[in-house]
Amino acid sequence: AVVSTQSRFINKDEYLYLSDRTDFWNVWKSSDEIKPWYKSNNEPGFPFGWCFGYPGYGITNDGIVIGAKSKDGMDNFLLVDIDNPQTILKDLGQLIRSKGYSFGTFTNVLCHGHYVYALGIDDPANPLTLLRVSLKDDSVYIYNNESAEKELMPYISYAESVEFPTTDKNMNAYGFLYRPKNPDYSPDEKEKPPLLLRVHGGPTGMAMRSLSMKTQYFTSRGFAVFDLDYRGSSGYGRAFRQALYGKWGVYDIEDAISAAQHLVNEGIVDGNRLSIDGGSAGGYTTMAMMVFKKYFHAGVSYYGVSDLLGLAKHTHKFESQYLTKMIGKLPEDEKIYKERSPLCHASQLQCPIGFFQGSDDFVCPPPQSKELYNAALENRVPTFYVEYEGEAHGFRKAVNIQRCISNEIYFYSKIFGFKLADETKNPPPIKNLPDQS
């Protein structure tokens, strides 16, 4: 079905809105239902048309400001003429980048007078950043200038856009590769780095290129990190996003394997040291990968899903019909839910897996993780389980986030057999390691 969202009046009789009827989220005008008011083969801004609070365009006294995300993660952030939208009055993205910032996506676009406000994302050296652009004098003001410290810049690994084939010959998938980088160490040229493949949530979310200290933590310690945009991710058009309809638990798993195999075939990573992690829907993909496939050698789930029927019955109201599209209708398709639920096939779990969980998570409550952890214990699979008191769906406390990162790489060090440069304080007990009774 076609979706329309983010309507805004431009005068008393006409309004603009976003619609994906031409595959990509384009800006349409209420007085012309034949063609988009502004057509682009890219998504405008942060392309979550199904979430509130992410406006991808704004209206100013000078024209219409539009952000359009391309496949390489870089936006066209443009000021276009309100009467002739194909006339570009100013390239705001280029203006911002000329000031030394390399934001690739602009979202939460708000306009007031001659000022444009937006959140800049997708700069590996900067976190989510509030900025203001003056359309009068081209000045750019950064409100929260919290870029990586200058002494850390030599350690920052920058994203490389990657496109790779999937099991569907007519549709490729995408992602961002971060190679290992640490000027203090020289790698063995004969040795390929281990891989950490990260799976986003949603499941129709998307990978972002903004500064991730977790990614940089891993790349500075010798890992290659790959942020996956599997078939079904946002940012690549409606056909790509809707490819996941009925295929969650299939295409995300297939594309994770295809991405890793592509990196192995290209000689970028070590095919014998492949790890995967993800949170929420990404946690589900991680669990499912460990249960149904024997491709990755270790995985870590953050507040993931092991029981799809349980998720369908107890999820919050806003996503109450989400799984109907992603998997199927209930009760008619209950068999599919069980077929794709890792917990229903827990006896097959043979791959090392760890779990991080919040005690107050009502989206993916603790039993979603703990029951598969118990199965790993029973199957004599190397595993750990950490539950953080007071955390919910997505951890908020800095100390817990830091612990997760250090504990995750500690887990991989035990599975892959390498020595960490940093001492891990109070690591979780890993059960069923070969050298443990």
Side-chain angles (χ1 to χ4, degrees), residues 194-212:
L195 169 69
L196 173 59
L197 187 142
R198 302 184 65 185
V199 187
H200 61 66
T204 52
M206 61 186 291
M208 305 299 292
R209 303 196 322 167
S210 54
L211 177 66
S212 166

Side-chain angles (χ1 to χ4, degrees), residues 94-407:
Q94 183 60 39
L95 172 62
I96 293 169
R97 286 187 278 272
S98 72
K99 305 293 185 180
Y101 300 95
S102 55
F103 300 114
T105 293
F106 301 91
T107 185
N108 290 59
V109 181
L110 297 173
C111 302
H112 180 70
H114 297 287
Y115 289 112
V116 178
Y117 299 84
L119 292 178
I121 316 175
D122 279 355
D123 180 346
N126 288 279
L128 187 71
T129 300
L130 176 63
L131 56 89
R132 183 190 71 197
V133 181
S134 170
L135 300 178
K136 267 193 172 182
D137 59 12
D138 291 349
S139 61
V140 177
Y141 182 78
I142 304 297
Y143 283 89
N144 53 328
N145 192 5
E146 298 178 353
S147 61
E149 300 290 341
K150 288 184 177 180
E151 58 266 26
L152 296 181
M153 294 306 295
Y155 300 85
I156 297 295
S157 176
Y158 285 82
E160 301 174 27
S161 298
V162 175
E163 182 175 350
F164 60 92
T166 69
T167 54
D168 181 350
K169 295 181 180 180
N170 298 315
M171 185 175 287
N172 289 345
Y174 310 90
F176 299 115
L177 169 66
Y178 300 83
R179 297 178 187 266
K181 187 177 181 183
N182 190 322
D184 299 333
Y185 296 90
S186 299
D188 185 341
E189 293 182 359
K190 297 181 180 179
E191 183 181 7
K192 303 299 181 184
L195 169 69
L196 173 59
L197 187 142
R198 302 184 65 185
V199 187
H200 61 66
T204 52
M206 61 186 291
M208 305 299 292
R209 303 196 322 167
S210 54
L211 177 66
S212 166
M213 297 311 294
K214 175 177 178 176
T215 293
Q216 302 302 329
Y217 183 92
F218 274 84
T219 56
S220 65
R221 286 155 178 79
F223 273 72
V225 176
F226 189 80
D227 275 343
L228 174 66
D229 273 335
Y230 50 77
R231 285 169 290 173
S233 302
S234 292
Y236 303 90
R238 180 159 58 104
F240 189 87
R241 187 177 66 252
Q242 293 184 353
L244 196 64
Y245 283 10
K247 295 295 184 179
W248 187 34
V250 180
Y251 285 173
D252 48 324
I253 294 174
E254 290 181 355
D255 291 357
I257 293 175
S258 295
Q261 191 59 51
H262 174 77
L263 298 175
V264 171
N265 293 344
E266 292 294 313
I268 297 173
V269 302
D270 183 354
N272 294 313
R273 293 185 295 176
L274 304 176
S275 58
I276 182 172
D277 78 1
S280 190
Y284 162 75
T285 302
T286 299
M287 292 186 193
M289 184 72 73
M290 297 294 100
V291 170
F292 298 121
K293 304 294 180 181
K294 303 296 185 289
Y295 185 82
F296 285 84
H297 306 99
V300 172
S301 168
Y302 289 73
Y303 37 88
V305 179
S306 65
D307 176 13
L308 292 171
L309 279 174
L311 178 66
K313 292 176 182 177
H314 301 296
T315 192
H316 50 96
K317 184 177 180 181
F318 183 69
E319 294 185 352
S320 61
Q321 298 303 311
Y322 201 4
L323 297 186
T324 301
K325 289 184 176 181
M326 296 297 108
I327 300 174
K329 294 181 179 180
L330 287 172
E332 299 94 314
D333 296 317
E334 181 175 331
K335 181 180 178 181
I336 300 176
Y337 280 73
K338 291 181 178 180
E339 287 175 347
R340 298 183 192 173
S341 291
L343 191 60
C344 293
H345 306 272
S347 61
Q348 299 179 28
L349 177 59
Q350 298 298 322
C351 298
I353 184 171
F355 303 87
F356 292 114
Q357 179 65 45
S359 65
D360 296 348
D361 191 337
F362 298 105
V363 179
C364 297
Q368 288 277 8
S369 294
K370 199 158 191 176
E371 291 186 18
L372 196 62
Y373 166 70
N374 290 333
L377 290 175
E378 185 175 338
N379 295 354
R380 305 297 297 172
V381 171
T383 188
F384 71 86
Y385 177 85
V386 177
E387 184 172 313
Y388 293 111
E389 188 68 29
E391 292 283 16
H393 196 64
F395 301 154
R396 298 293 183 265
K397 298 177 182 178
V399 63
N400 292 337
I401 295 172
Q402 292 169 357
R403 286 172 180 168
C404 286
I405 296 172
S406 60
N407 289 340

